[in-house]
Amino acid sequence: MRSVILARLLLAEDFGLFGMALTVVAGLAALTNIGLDISVIKTKFKTEQELAKHLDTLWTVDLIRRLLIAVLMLVIARPAAKFYGESRVYELLLVLSLLPLIQGFQNIGPLIRRKEVNFKEIVGLELLTNLLTALATIALVLWTRSVWALVLAS
């Protein structure tokens, strides 16, 4: 539904521009994903302290990984803009480089819920997050009428 509304409010050019920038973001995230979250889900910890220590390590390593992604995005921004032949991709990537850093500070709670196989809470949180993101994105598009709404909503 959100995509349909956004398609009516934004130009196809905006989606294309955002898509160019997202290929860099998604590519770097995929190339640097080391799957530590799966280790938490699969490992049976003897004590809560052992789990807490593992979660602390996971959070720290993931934050460092996301910092690396942000730096790589800054380094790749200009070459990516030249590759696509679109100078605005450079500006988008500069702003989008903040995204991995912001995501790095997210709560690790949903990972614990996945380990506990508590899907009711996970689904509820995902639905609420998606609804709020959709509303915020639509509001930003109505306000800016530009690709920057998509960037800010990310």
Side-chain angles (χ1 to χ4, degrees):
M1 183 63 150
R2 175 180 77 170
S3 297
V4 172
I5 294 170
L6 295 178
R8 298 290 296 155
L9 297 172
L10 291 174
L11 301 171
E13 176 184 329
D14 291 330
F15 283 103
L17 193 60
F18 188 63
M20 289 177 203
L22 276 185
T23 58
V24 175
V25 174
L28 288 173
L31 289 173
T32 61
N33 188 3
I34 52 179
L36 289 177
D37 54 338
I38 300 301
S39 71
V40 171
I41 293 170
K42 288 189 172 191
T43 304
K44 292 186 181 187
F45 298 97
K46 294 175 183 156
T47 64
E48 288 293 318
Q49 280 184 319
E50 186 181 2
L51 172 62
K53 188 174 181 179
H54 198 84
L55 290 172
D56 288 346
T57 302
L58 170 72
W59 189 83
T60 303
V61 169
D62 192 54
L63 186 60
I64 293 168
R65 175 182 149 288
R66 290 176 186 272
L67 176 63
L68 176 66
I69 292 171
V71 170
L72 286 172
M73 285 177 65
L74 292 172
V75 170
I76 292 174
R78 193 166 303 281
K82 286 183 181 180
F83 173 78
Y84 285 118
E86 179 58 68
S87 62
R88 292 179 294 172
V89 169
Y90 174 73
E91 297 165 353
L92 294 178
L93 286 173
L94 291 181
V95 175
L96 284 170
S97 69
L98 296 172
L99 186 61
L101 291 176
I102 293 167
Q103 290 172 337
F105 289 102
Q106 68 190 356
N107 189 338
I108 204 158
L111 180 60
I112 296 169
R113 299 296 174 264
R114 283 180 39 206
K115 181 172 180 56
E116 296 170 348
V117 193
N118 191 343
F119 293 116
K120 183 178 180 181
E121 284 186 30
I122 294 170
V123 169
L125 182 61
E126 289 283 329
L127 287 173
L128 179 62
T129 302
N130 288 338
L131 176 64
L132 293 175
T133 301
L135 292 173
T137 304
I138 292 167
L140 284 167
V141 167
L142 288 170
W143 182 43
T144 66
R145 298 283 182 166
S146 76
V147 68
W148 290 105
L150 298 173
V151 173
L152 294 173
S154 295

